[in-house]
Amino acid sequence: MITLAHISDLHFGTEDPRTADRLAEELHALAPRLMIVSGDLTQRARRAQFRAARAYLDRLPQPLIVVPGNHDIPLYDVGRRTLSPMGRYRDMISDDLDPFHLEEDLAVLALNTTRPYRWKEGSISERQVQLIEDVFARAAPSSRRVLVTHHPFIPPPTAPKELVVHGQRAALPVIRASGVELLLAGHLHVGYADAVAGGPELLSVQAGTAISRRRRGQPNAYNVIRLVDDGIELEPRVWDGERFRVSPV
Ligand SMILES: [Fe+2]
Ligand SMILES: [Fe+2]
């Protein structure tokens, strides 16, 4: 069994420090094989917000894999948005925007789906589709395979028309052919999960916002995911004002 912890949408600048402290404690108690952070580390891509996000990531269990979200690109600072949209993220969080974590029995690719010319929407490029094919080919045949993005592949049940990530029509056949069984994302601040339609089993799991006060009708939450022999166990943990409690799926 492989235990993964999936947190998303930290939005430093709007974080609740008490929730953040408790989350860090719980994650250490969980001791996951890998920490996954699916973007929106900051609220407005400000330097101080990245600094706080960096310090927080350093407090979490390691190893950790992280991708940027649309909030990690400056919105109002048009100069920076145009000339160096990922500059601060690269300086303070990670220079690798499409990181790949490879172990004997686990392969996790995280893709940067943010685009400076879009604000809220995400994309997967042709280069990234090729990357999916290339990196998962390096994993052992029996290895479990997970793909992480900020933008979800499926809309939430409450808004079935809500925009999902662009480029997925080209990406999905490659994702399936590469043996990926699990997609992890965030962005909408709503936790939900479902199978991706149109092919062999592929589960798409979204996390709500872990510690931000910018909630969209749902309390703060994160996901514990267990890759067991015969499938995937999803255990959302939802903030009750004191701690995160296991919530039924
Ligand atoms: Fe967000
Ligand atoms: Fe987002």
Side-chain angles (χ1 to χ4, degrees):
M1 184 184 77
I2 298 170
T3 302
L4 306 172
H6 170 213
I7 66 174
S8 199
D9 296 80
L10 308 178
H11 286 279
F12 273 91
T14 66
E15 82 283 9
D16 183 324
R18 208 165 59 92
T19 314
D21 287 348
R22 176 72 201 188
L23 177 62
E25 266 172 45
E26 289 188 20
L27 291 170
H28 277 285
L30 180 73
R33 176 86 79 84
L34 179 66
M35 272 300 317
I36 294 167
V37 186
S38 56
D40 278 358
L41 302 176
T42 67
Q43 179 59 19
R44 280 286 167 253
R46 301 220 164 94
R47 189 161 270 284
Q49 293 171 354
F50 274 119
R51 211 176 293 126
R54 172 77 265 162
Y56 190 70
L57 296 186
D58 290 342
R59 279 172 64 193
L60 297 181
Q62 308 290 322
L64 179 146
I65 192 166
V66 55
V67 276
N70 50 306
H71 277 258
D72 300 321
I73 294 177
L75 175 60
Y76 302 118
D77 183 344
V78 178
R80 192 179 297 278
R81 184 176 179 83
T82 313
L83 295 174
S84 182
M86 301 310 301
R88 285 177 175 161
Y89 182 92
R90 282 180 184 275
D91 279 356
M92 283 181 276
I93 303 297
S94 175
D95 201 29
D96 188 352
L97 300 180
D98 298 314
F100 182 52
H101 178 87
L102 182 61
E103 296 181 41
E104 220 176 285
D105 56 353
L106 176 67
V108 180
L109 174 65
L111 292 179
N112 169 25
T113 50
T114 65
R115 300 292 182 266
Y117 55 86
R118 301 186 192 274
W119 166 227
K120 284 205 307 221
E121 302 165 16
S123 276
I124 294 182
S125 66
E126 266 177 55
R127 176 192 66 79
Q128 289 174 316
V129 172
Q130 188 61 52
L131 186 68
I132 294 168
E133 189 175 340
D134 293 347
V135 300
F136 285 114
R138 290 163 45 202
S142 64
S143 171
R144 310 301 290 264
R145 290 164 162 82
V146 180
L147 180 68
V148 182
T149 53
H150 177 61
H151 298 86
F153 278 75
I154 59 169
T158 47
K161 296 248 162 87
E162 181 115 22
L163 186 88
V164 287
V165 69
H166 293 266
Q168 65 168 290
R169 201 176 293 196
L172 275 170
V174 176
I175 290 169
R176 291 187 200 272
S178 301
V180 173
E181 59 184 310
L182 177 62
L183 306 172
L184 297 177
H187 182 54
L188 298 174
H189 299 200
V190 181
Y192 61 98
D194 207 346
V196 181
E201 256 176 39
L202 177 62
L203 183 65
S204 169
V205 174
Q206 277 53 244
T209 164
I211 58 169
S212 170
R213 297 186 306 272
R214 294 178 85 250
R215 294 174 290 257
R216 309 223 174 103
Q218 280 193 358
N220 291 119
Y222 68 99
N223 292 321
V224 174
I225 290 153
R226 295 192 180 86
L227 306 176
V228 293
D229 282 348
D230 53 352
I232 299 165
E233 289 176 4
L234 169 63
E235 187 184 284
R237 297 195 180 182
V238 178
W239 183 249
D240 72 355
E242 294 289 328
R243 72 200 62 169
F244 290 89
R245 283 198 190 278
V246 175
S247 131
V249 186

